[in-house]
């Protein structure tokens, strides 16, 4: 299997033996997650499913950032309570997608002792320094800084303005407690809390080891977040992630979906409106590394694909599928649009179920049981047809359709299908 790697700008082979350890950056929890936040989670779960289906040992870590400036700003004096609530929202909302859970979902607040040890090692090695309770990473000590994002070290803009820093490019590993921040931890440099970037380096290394196979996240995390992770982890004398996979962002009718644009649709709202199957099929329509448009039209198209799969699975099975064509699409940079096109050509129910299982869509093969009152209407319609009372049969058909069902005439009576 090959995946496009942001660092080398090439497709890199996933190791053919040994465990596959994956770290996919999760949300900063201060509000209900929007549908775009679901994409790295979905990709990580799909990759895990596919690799396990090939007999590989896989561990997926999907973190929760529950210490962050945004949380303090969103809930002054009550940041911990908001972070706890928003964490539960995120787990509930991604759970509603029907893909299960990551193998580990660590919270940054649970790893502060390990973060303190990591920072101390960086200071001892000369890669970090303390200034009045803050601790910064010395970017100048990393001659390859910028290699992940493609930025030249001498052109990197200041990330966290502070006149006390040695170099404007230096980034925070530890931040001294401010009067409006209601959570803090004691440290050798005084009361404070971790910076964002060090949290993920520590959680990844604690749960997967200092070197692991795949690091994922949204394209917006390449700089500064992942660039800084790579720098601080390499400073301790080891490699970090072997493959960096950055998924494209969602665009709402052509523009980035964001709170500032006022075009946010939460995961919860999307599931309630279109259903989890349509959301998952929608994500399949775009290559994971590219931007993908989110609109009424794209979701209507995804729902139509869902209906098409259900229609095929209600019909007769025909052994016409080519599993190798499906597998080849996923083995070559996990090309879900190509895999989706292959699936739409199949009529083999067993093969379809097996493939849809990878994407959490095996439920498309489930028969949906109609409510008893709809069944009774269909039975009355069947009897009316038998009595050649076609006006009554048509009236009953209209009632059934108004309730969201379609009555189909089959050899042994009728079949009820959701519209």
């Amino acid at each position: 299997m090959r995946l496009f790697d942001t660092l080398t700008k090439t497709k890199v082979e996933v190791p053919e033996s040994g465990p596959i350890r994956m770290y996919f950056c999760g949300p900063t929890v201060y509000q209900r997650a929007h549908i775009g936040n679901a994409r790295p989670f979905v990709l990580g779960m799909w990759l895990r499913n596919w690799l396990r289906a090939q007999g590989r040992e896989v561990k997926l870590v999907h973190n929760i950032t529950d210490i962050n400036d945004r949380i303090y700003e969103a809930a002054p004096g009550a940041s911990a309570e908001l972070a706890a609530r928003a964490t539960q929202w995120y787990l509930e909302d991604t759970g509603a997608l029907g893909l299960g859970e990551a193998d580990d979902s660590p919270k940054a607040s649970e790893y502060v002792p390990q973060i303190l040890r990591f920072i101390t090692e960086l200071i001892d090695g000369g890669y970090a320094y303390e200034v009045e309770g803050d601790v910064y990473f010395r970017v100048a000590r990393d001659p390859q800084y910028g290699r992940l994002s493609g930025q030249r070290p001498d052109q990197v803009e200041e990330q966290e303005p502070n006149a006390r820093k040695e170099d404007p490019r230096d980034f925070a590993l530890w931040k001294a407690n401010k009067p409006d921040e209601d959570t803090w931890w004691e440290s050798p440099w005084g009361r404070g809390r971790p910076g964002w970037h060090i949290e993920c380096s520590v959680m990844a290394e604690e749960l997967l080891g200092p070197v692991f196979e795949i690091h994922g996240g949204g394209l917006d995390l390449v700089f500064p977040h992942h660039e800084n992770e790579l720098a601080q982890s390499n400073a301790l004398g080891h490699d970090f992630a072997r493959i960096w996979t950055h998924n494209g962002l969602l665009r709402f009718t052509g523009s980035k979906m964001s709170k500032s644009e006022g075009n946010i649709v939460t995961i919860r709202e999307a599931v309630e409106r279109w259903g989890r199957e349509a959301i998952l099929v929608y994500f399949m329509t775009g290559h994971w590394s590219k931007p993908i448009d989110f609109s009424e039209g794209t979701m209507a198209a995804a729902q139509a694909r869902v209906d098409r799969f259900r229609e095929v699975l209600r019909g007769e099975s025909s052994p016409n599928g080519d599993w190798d064509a499906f597998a080849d699409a996923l083995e070559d940079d996990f090309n879900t649009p190509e895999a989706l096109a292959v699936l739409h050509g199949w009529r083999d129910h067993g093969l379809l179920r097996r493939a849809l299982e990878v994407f959490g869509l095996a439920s498309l093969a489930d028969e949906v049981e109609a409510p008893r009152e709809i069944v009774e209407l269909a039975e009355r319609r069947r009897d009316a047809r038998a009595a050649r009372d076609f006006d009554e049969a048509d009236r009953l058909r209209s009632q059934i359709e108004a309730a969201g069902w379609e009555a189909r005439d089959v050899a042994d009576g009728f079949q009820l299908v959701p519209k």
Side-chain angles (χ1 to χ4, degrees), residues 245-292:
T245 58
H246 289 100
N247 62 266
L249 306 182
L250 265 66
R251 299 179 301 197
F252 191 81
T253 59
S255 64
K256 177 185 172 183
M257 180 180 294
S258 67
K259 187 176 182 182
S260 61
E261 293 288 335
N263 54 16
I264 289 296
V265 175
T266 66
I267 300 171
R268 182 186 189 186
E269 290 167 344
V271 171
E272 289 176 348
R273 182 167 182 183
W274 290 290
R276 70 170 199 87
E277 291 96 343
I279 293 170
L280 296 177
V281 169
Y282 157 74
F283 279 127
M284 288 182 72
T285 62
H287 190 280
W288 62 270
S289 65
K290 307 297 183 186
I292 182 171

Side-chain angles (χ1 to χ4, degrees), residues 49-64:
N49 290 350
W50 175 246
L51 290 164
R52 284 182 176 172
Q54 311 314 301
R56 302 301 301 274
E57 177 188 344
V58 187
K59 181 176 183 179
L60 171 63
V61 176
H62 186 59
N63 74 289
I64 302 289

Side-chain angles (χ1 to χ4, degrees), residues 103-120:
D103 299 296
D104 271 302
S105 298
K107 302 181 186 71
S109 60
E110 299 169 342
Y111 284 81
V112 174
Q114 295 91 327
I115 291 170
L116 292 173
R117 288 199 298 270
F118 198 117
I119 296 173
T120 299

Side-chain angles (χ1 to χ4, degrees), residues 287-303:
H287 190 280
W288 62 270
S289 65
K290 307 297 183 186
I292 182 171
D293 287 336
F294 183 85
S295 66
E296 295 283 349
T298 57
M299 289 310 301
Q303 285 184 307

